[in-house]
Amino acid sequence: MTDTSQPRSSIRGTGVVAGLAYGTARWVRRAETLDPPAAPEGGTQPDEEQVERGKQRFTEAAATVAERLAQRAALATGVSAEVLTANAGLARDRGWAKTVVRELKKGRSVEEATVAATETFAAMFVKAGARQAERVTDLRDICARVVAELRGLPEPGIPAFDEPGVLLADDLAPADTAGLDADMVLGLVIEHGGPTSHTAIIARQLGIPCVVAAGGLTAVPDGARVLVDGGAGTVAVDPDADSASEAAAADRRVREKAATWTGPAALADGHPVDLLANVQDADGAQRAAAGQGAGIGLFRTELAFLDRPAEPTVDEQAEMYARVLGAFPDSKVVTRTLDAGSDKPLAFAGMAEEENPALGVRGIRVDLLDRGLVDRQLDALAEAGRRVGGAQSSPWVMAPMIATVDEAADFAERCRARGLTPGIMVEVPSVAVAVDRFLPHVDFLSIGTNDLTQYVMAADRMSSDLAALTDPWQPAVLRLIRSVAEAAGRAPGGRTVPVGVCGEAAADPHLACVLLGLGVSSLSVADAALPHVGAALTGRTLEQCRELATAALDCDTARDARAAVMARSG
Ligand code: PEP
Ligand code: MG
């Protein structure tokens, strides 16, 4: 039988602003394609009058565009106003105008000269790398507006919304993002663009659920109904209308509540919850400390070193770790040793290319190549703990991708020898299945639901086609989490071993409640998701979380589990 409540297709990108948005997809009016013009043919050179006329037309068109942007800037606030003002400045840039004139002198038409001059600057920005490269979107957008003005065409950009909907774009111009009406634009999906693009920054400011880098978005037709999940980074096309509307409405209520939520986190009955932040460097730790998190549940050290060609020295590492620990001098900070390999290649880890990297040498298996890498990390962390002192004098540290008891015991021994508090991640099903054998060796567990789901469901977490399988609501995954939490609650020697969840599952406010009901004691989520989870917790008692967990466990599919919890969440 065909399951009609499944979305027709699902697209996966990078979620940059958490939240659900369900509505009609509206594509941004694309600017006419402006191919970089070919080199002008030799022959008659333009006379001075022609060049002067071209220059005049360009100057007028650019001034008109700059004026419009400046007017919009005057009506905007915050980052939006800054972006619009900066773009108005770009439209008036003298260097750009001079380059246009140089191109006119080669015999190009004024439109061609505008595009050629823009591409010269775009190439320079791309060469400058990273953040500068992301400004290429701004530049090309201004160029498209000037060319439209030269051609007497309407300004490219956002269509008029007659009802609230979801905006789709190849690469939304920052000038358009800045002018977005958050009442009409429920969600934003961009095929290109990264998490630090202006589009993402402004969407965050406006609180519009947003997904960037959504490969394959072009296939979604204007007018399709879409459900955007800005936390999970997915776009479901033509999902079941009732459950999508219900989910979006429930999410909107949670977001409204989240805007005013402050920590520390607790359930409605006062039961305290350790709600922590996931960070990847010292700056992230400082940001987390300025927010509502009670500490750090996952410091992904490999992400701090992704751009390093060589291994940082122990002293360099100690300095960085001390800054992370120092951000929360009196609270829990959990550092994870390098999870290099698979989707996070580290130049200095010496890993070879593999056919199946997710099943290959990654995480703690780096020991097979060089035990020194992890040992030096542990040395550095112990040193950082000594420098910060107090509550951080025995830092919590965990290993990723542990699969055997031997690995866990070996890791714990190396940690204890340095005065560290050892834990392991539960990501490989072998640990979840036989967790009682691991418990005697460690002081805490942290469930990495991203990888645990990938390995339980035998589905690549990077594959957008398999997004329905890599859904952490899969009842098989929930059952494993329950059995891990139960076993940790009655560890040998009458101990209770704390169990956290630090995968994306914890960032889903409804699933977060289910996880607590399953017996998990701490949740660690990305900064942006923290208030959403914190606010959701205030609406349920521990008993209600347990009921939600029971309802989810009693389902056969991820979809039913989610729906069962939504139906009880009101
Ligand atoms: C996980 O697998 O859930 C996890 C937190 O680790 P990462 O996403 O960094 O692999
Ligand atoms: Mg993982």
Side-chain angles (χ1 to χ4, degrees):
M1 205 172 83
T2 316
D3 180 356
T4 50
S5 63
Q6 282 280 44
R8 263 206 289 159
S9 61
S10 177
I11 287 168
R12 194 174 271 271
T14 304
V16 290
V17 184
L20 295 183
Y22 176 56
T24 305
R26 299 297 316 273
W27 274 95
V28 166
R29 203 167 40 236
R30 294 182 174 95
E32 278 190 41
T33 315
L34 301 172
D35 292 328
E41 287 170 16
T44 36
Q45 289 300 301
D47 58 33
E48 256 181 53
E49 205 184 313
Q50 273 174 302
V51 172
E52 193 48 42
R53 221 174 21 247
K55 181 181 166 187
Q56 186 71 22
R57 287 192 61 214
F58 170 80
T59 311
E60 281 172 14
T64 304
V65 168
E67 188 49 37
R68 272 191 217 129
L69 292 168
Q71 278 170 7
R72 279 194 230 164
L75 297 174
T77 54
V79 189
S80 303
E82 282 167 27
V83 170
L84 287 165
T85 307
N87 282 6
L90 273 180
R92 294 195 186 99
D93 187 76
R94 299 254 280 282
W96 189 34
K98 270 193 196 151
T99 315
V100 170
V101 173
R102 221 173 23 243
E103 296 295 334
L104 285 168
K105 285 183 179 161
K106 292 179 187 166
R108 294 190 194 280
S109 72
V110 60
E111 290 157 27
E112 283 178 355
T114 305
V115 178
T118 305
E119 289 309 312
T120 305
F121 280 94
M124 274 159 41
F125 279 21
V126 168
K127 217 163 158 196
R131 278 174 179 261
Q132 277 289 37
E134 288 190 342
R135 302 291 89 90
V136 168
T137 309
D138 303 38
L139 211 58
R140 293 205 172 115
D141 165 62
I142 291 158
C143 173
R145 284 166 202 271
V146 171
V147 170
E149 184 64 26
L150 287 166
R151 289 178 181 168
L153 296 173
E155 207 177 10
I158 296 178
F161 276 67
D162 36 23
E163 57 167 11
V166 173
L167 194 65
L168 311 188
D170 306 340
D171 199 352
L172 194 59
D176 285 330
T177 325
L180 285 184
D181 177 352
D183 289 333
M184 292 307 253
V185 181
L186 303 173
L188 194 55
V189 190
I190 313 295
E191 181 152 27
H192 304 293
T196 58
S197 62
H198 272 147
T199 302
I201 294 167
I202 292 170
R204 223 170 267 131
Q205 178 186 278
L206 295 174
I208 300 175
C210 176
V211 175
V212 299
L217 188 67
T218 321
V220 180
D222 197 83
R225 300 287 288 174
V226 291
L227 177 66
V228 179
D229 186 335
T234 56
V235 183
V237 184
D238 284 343
D240 175 65
D242 289 343
S243 43
S245 319
E246 240 172 66
D251 179 75
R252 189 174 272 267
R253 286 194 292 277
V254 172
R255 273 191 282 144
E256 282 162 5
K257 222 163 135 193
T260 57
W261 181 81
T262 50
L267 291 168
D269 53 8
H271 180 86
V273 177
D274 226 2
L275 182 56
L276 311 163
N278 288 352
V279 306
Q280 61 181 61
D281 53 25
D283 288 350
Q286 307 287 346
R287 274 198 302 277
Q292 300 297 324
I296 293 172
L298 170 63
F299 166 26
R300 288 181 162 104
T301 55
E302 69 283 354
L303 297 185
F305 302 133
L306 276 184
D307 58 349
R308 295 295 193 98
E311 183 188 347
T313 63
V314 170
D315 201 51
E316 267 181 285
Q317 292 188 49
E319 198 178 315
M320 173 191 277
Y321 302 159
R323 285 183 62 208
V324 174
L325 298 179
F328 286 95
D330 303 316
S331 323
K332 179 155 72 173
V333 174
V334 183
T335 300
R336 177 172 78 180
T337 54
L338 294 173
D339 184 20
S342 193
D343 57 323
K344 294 173 281 200
L346 264 192
F348 58 83
M351 286 155 169
E353 293 239 331
E354 290 180 279
E355 288 276 317
N356 283 312
L359 299 179
V361 180
R362 66 167 289 204
I364 194 64
R365 300 171 187 182
V366 74
D367 272 354
L368 299 169
L369 304 174
D370 175 6
R371 283 173 67 84
L373 272 177
V374 170
D375 280 339
R376 287 185 288 277
Q377 269 206 293
L378 298 178
D379 287 342
L381 188 60
E383 172 56 25
R386 281 189 288 277
R387 287 184 196 171
V388 177
Q392 300 299 356
S393 45
S394 178
W396 289 40
V397 59
M398 62 187 180
M401 292 297 294
I402 290 285
T404 69
V405 175
D406 278 350
E407 286 168 352
D410 172 60
F411 179 73
E413 202 180 302
R414 290 150 85 188
C415 292
R416 291 212 167 88
R418 294 166 169 85
L420 300 168
T421 306
I424 55 170
M425 288 194 74
V426 182
E427 300 179 291
V428 181
S430 60
V431 180
V433 168
V435 68
D436 55 310
R437 315 301 296 198
F438 291 76
L439 288 167
H441 302 280
V442 296
D443 290 351
F444 68 98
L445 300 175
S446 183
I447 305 178
T449 44
N450 308 336
D451 277 314
L452 184 62
T453 310
Q454 151 164 277
Y455 297 125
V456 167
M457 302 306 295
D460 184 347
R461 66 191 261 190
M462 309 291 283
S463 162
S464 51
D465 293 339
L466 303 180
L469 288 175
T470 48
D471 184 336
W473 283 90
Q474 286 289 350
V477 176
L478 300 182
R479 279 180 189 227
L480 280 180
I481 295 173
R482 177 186 58 178
S483 66
V484 168
E486 274 180 6
R490 44 179 165 71
R495 288 190 310 148
T496 293
V497 174
V499 180
V501 170
C502 62
E504 292 308 306
D508 171 337
H510 297 286
L511 191 44
C513 295
V514 170
L515 295 171
L516 295 172
L518 292 172
V520 159
S521 56
S522 71
L523 303 168
S524 191
V525 305
D527 234 13
L530 223 134
H532 301 276
V533 176
L537 301 183
T538 61
R540 314 216 167 36
T541 61
L542 185 57
E543 200 40 50
Q544 285 167 331
C545 289
R546 288 186 180 131
E547 283 161 21
L548 294 179
T550 307
L553 285 168
D554 194 30
C555 293
D556 290 334
T557 68
R559 191 185 62 251
D560 289 351
R562 187 186 271 111
V565 169
M566 293 296 192
R568 284 165 177 79
S569 294

